């Protein structure tokens, strides 16, 4: 298994860790000097205290933690955060409070999960026609009929 180089930028920062042996995503932890309260409908940038080296031809994808999203209404504002392989700054998680009550994030709390995945970066070519398929131009919901 490949390893990812991680720089701990702040006191209290924690390395990403997997909850179980077969977890797809590694948990990311809040690195805060004091608890952070996010009002309903608001978004806050939550620092992780980490910078990391995503391998070339890969991306780090930041997803919601299902428990945090379902039980407390806190999920990444951009749905899926993307960390490019050439980014070396602090990993921040933009948490949005979708709920009706303020939510407080504490130091060391698991706030999101990180998946490192391969990425293709093809060149895009303008053409007059595309190859035909059985689906064709059928869009949203068209395959269920």
């Amino acid at each position: 298994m490949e390893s990812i180089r991680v720089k701990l930028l702040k006191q209290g920062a924690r390395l990403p860790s997997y909850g179980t042996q077969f977890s797809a995503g590694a948990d990311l932890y809040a690195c805060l000097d004091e608890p952070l309260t996010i009002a309903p409908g608001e978004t806050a940038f939550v620092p992780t205290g980490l910078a990391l080296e995503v391998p070339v031809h890969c991306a780090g994808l930041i997803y919601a933690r299902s428990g945090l999203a379902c039980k407390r209404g806190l999920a990444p504002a951009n749905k899926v955060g993307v960390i490019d392989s050439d980014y070396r700054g602090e990993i921040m998680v933009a948490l949005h409070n979708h709920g009706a009550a303020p939510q407080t994030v504490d130091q060391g709390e698991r706030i999101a999960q990180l998946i490192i995945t391969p990425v293709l970066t093809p060149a895009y070519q303008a053409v007059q026609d595309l190859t035909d398929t059985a689906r064709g131009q059928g869009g949203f919901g068209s395959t269920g009929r």
Side-chain angles (χ1 to χ4, degrees):
M1 177 186 300
E2 189 169 346
S3 64
I4 302 289
R5 293 169 46 94
V6 180
K7 184 175 182 180
L8 302 177
L9 301 172
K10 301 175 183 172
Q11 183 90 17
R14 293 180 58 179
L15 288 173
S17 65
Y18 296 97
T20 69
Q21 179 183 359
F22 298 108
S23 294
D27 290 325
L28 292 174
Y29 300 87
C31 185
L32 301 165
D33 294 327
E34 59 189 34
L36 172 66
T37 299
I38 306 172
E42 297 288 328
T43 298
F45 288 94
V46 183
T48 65
L50 305 176
L52 49 90
E53 290 184 14
V54 174
V56 174
H57 303 297
C58 290
L61 301 180
I62 298 176
Y63 291 97
R65 292 195 68 256
S66 58
L68 195 64
C70 294
K71 294 177 183 173
R72 295 180 49 203
L74 293 175
N78 51 347
K79 306 305 180 210
V80 178
V82 178
I83 306 167
D84 298 313
S85 64
D86 59 349
Y87 178 67
R88 294 295 184 269
E90 183 175 8
I91 304 304
M92 304 287 282
V93 177
L95 278 185
H96 183 79
N97 183 350
H98 295 275
Q103 295 293 326
T104 299
V105 177
D106 293 314
Q107 160 60 19
E109 185 173 349
R110 296 177 296 169
I111 55 170
Q113 56 184 324
L114 172 66
I115 295 176
I116 305 295
T117 189
V119 172
L120 300 176
T121 53
Y124 293 90
Q125 176 186 7
V127 298
Q128 292 298 316
D129 296 300
L130 301 175
T131 57
D132 288 329
T133 67
R135 180 178 181 172
Q137 293 183 29
F140 297 101
S142 67
T143 60
R145 291 187 217 159

